[in-house]
């Protein structure tokens, strides 16, 4: 990708891909073209065996201001979120971990983009706000359900029903982000986490993430059954030698 591309793609080391939203003058607002490029990138990466962990971040002062309302020409309540849902589906189609490196403001649709990641590391300059209620648009990318599961019901209502910003430190206290680092340390910290995740067996990285997500989306009892079924399925692959042969091949490449 050239520096003037809407989405920058970098591969800092084997297994890791950094996707950078690159509309800094527009606070990385999700124009139609940027949504299409980001959706395509995640679909493409989901088919790449060597793309195992993605770091998603923004250029300039913001992470993402959400949908580009100027482009949409939308009056309150009129934004069509269907295409954005395709973006979130594309992120879910990528089986490996997605680390959000939140460099600045993550607002409304940008907040939802952050919540579609598996782990969040925030710069001290990061801020989060859900302004759906203020602008009269019902969220359609999962924010109303995901946020309360991360920070608790009352805190989620405080954020979503006021539209107020919270800073990085409070986001960390509330469990929204894993940790907060200085701006210059944000990408190195995210890449260090990616490298740690890449130390896991490739198949296990995918399978373990899948069972965590599947269990979290249901009751504890059902989650325990899902884990037991996953453990039996994993044991069968070990017995047939499939995992061992692939793991040995990965170690030889490394």
């Amino acid at each position: 990708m050239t520096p003037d591309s809407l989405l920058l793609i970098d591969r800092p080391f084997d297994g890791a891909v950094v996707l950078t939203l690159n509309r800094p003058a527009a606070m990385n607002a999700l124009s139609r073209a940027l949504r299409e490029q980001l959706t395509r990138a995640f679909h493409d990466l989901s088919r790449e065996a060597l793309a195992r962990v993605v770091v998603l971040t923004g250029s300039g002062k913001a992470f993402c201001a959400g949908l580009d309302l100027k482009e949409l020409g939308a009056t309150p309540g009129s934004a069509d979120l269907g295409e954005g849902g395709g973006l979130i589906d594309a992120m879910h189609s990528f089986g490996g971990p997605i680390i959000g490196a939140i460099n600045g403001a993550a607002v409304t649709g940008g907040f939802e983009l952050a919540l579609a990641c598996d782990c969040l590391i925030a710069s001290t300059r990061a801020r989060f706000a859900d302004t759906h209620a203020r602008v009269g648009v019902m969220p359609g990318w999962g924010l109303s359900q995901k946020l309360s599961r991360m920070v608790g019901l009352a805190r989620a209502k405080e954020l979503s029903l006021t539209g107020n910003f919270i800073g990085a430190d409070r986001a960390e206290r509330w469990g929204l982000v894993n940790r907060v680092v200085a701006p210059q340390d944000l990408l190195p910290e995210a890449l260090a986490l990616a490298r740690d995740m890449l130390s896991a067996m490739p198949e296990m990285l995918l399978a373990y993430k899948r069972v965590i997500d599947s269990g979290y989306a249901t009751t504890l009892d059902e989650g325990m059954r899902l884990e037991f079924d996953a453990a039996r399925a994993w044991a069968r692959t070990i017995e047939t030698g499939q995992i061992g042969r692939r793991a040995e091949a990965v170690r030889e490449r490394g």
Side-chain angles (χ1 to χ4, degrees):
M1 291 278 182
T2 59
D4 59 350
S5 296
L6 298 178
L7 180 67
L8 305 180
I9 303 177
D10 185 34
R11 299 172 186 266
F13 46 83
D14 287 349
V17 180
V18 178
L19 300 179
T20 304
L21 309 179
N22 192 38
R23 298 187 70 211
M27 295 182 63
N28 298 317
L30 295 168
S31 63
R32 179 188 297 272
L34 178 53
R35 294 197 306 272
E36 289 175 351
Q37 288 186 26
L38 192 55
T39 299
R40 188 182 314 117
F42 273 108
H43 279 312
D44 290 345
L45 292 172
S46 70
R47 294 188 288 268
E48 286 189 27
L50 296 181
R52 296 169 51 205
V53 179
V54 167
V55 174
L56 179 63
T57 192
S59 60
K61 296 181 179 180
F63 173 70
C64 179
L67 287 176
D68 189 333
L69 296 180
K70 290 183 178 179
E71 180 186 79
L72 289 172
T75 55
S78 69
D80 179 6
L81 300 180
E83 295 179 25
L87 166 57
I88 302 303
D89 288 344
M91 294 177 71
H92 290 165
S93 75
F94 179 74
I98 302 172
I99 301 167
I102 312 302
N103 56 298
V107 183
T108 313
F111 197 173
E112 297 198 84
L113 192 65
L115 292 179
C117 299
D118 296 290
C119 304
L120 298 180
I121 298 177
S123 158
T124 53
R125 296 173 181 166
R127 298 187 303 153
F128 301 85
D130 174 15
T131 65
H132 281 99
R134 287 189 179 183
V135 301
V137 176
M138 189 64 71
W141 301 356
L143 191 151
S144 69
Q145 302 305 305
K146 293 178 181 178
L147 185 59
S148 62
R149 286 164 169 79
M150 295 183 72
V151 305
L153 188 61
R155 287 170 171 170
K157 287 178 179 177
E158 177 182 340
L159 282 174
S160 296
L161 300 182
T162 65
N164 291 341
F165 278 88
I166 63 166
D169 288 340
R170 181 177 294 183
E172 183 182 28
R173 291 197 302 273
W174 284 9
L176 178 61
V177 305
N178 292 51
R179 51 188 167 277
V180 178
V181 299
Q184 67 271 19
D185 296 330
L186 180 62
L187 192 55
E189 188 79 7
L191 291 174
L193 178 57
R195 196 181 291 276
D196 287 345
M197 289 178 172
L198 289 169
S199 69
M201 185 183 297
E203 292 88 354
M204 177 59 85
L205 191 67
L206 301 177
Y208 209 162
K209 174 189 166 178
R210 186 164 54 247
V211 76
I212 291 171
D213 285 344
S214 298
Y216 192 71
T218 186
T219 64
L220 177 60
D221 284 346
E222 179 60 24
M224 294 293 287
R225 285 192 288 272
L226 287 171
E227 182 189 271
F228 181 72
D229 291 342
R232 285 196 304 181
W234 182 262
R236 285 196 295 271
T237 62
I238 294 293
E239 289 171 1
T240 59
Q242 297 177 37
I243 295 298
R245 288 193 296 271
R246 288 197 290 267
E248 183 61 32
V250 169
R251 282 193 294 271
E252 288 177 357
R253 288 199 302 271

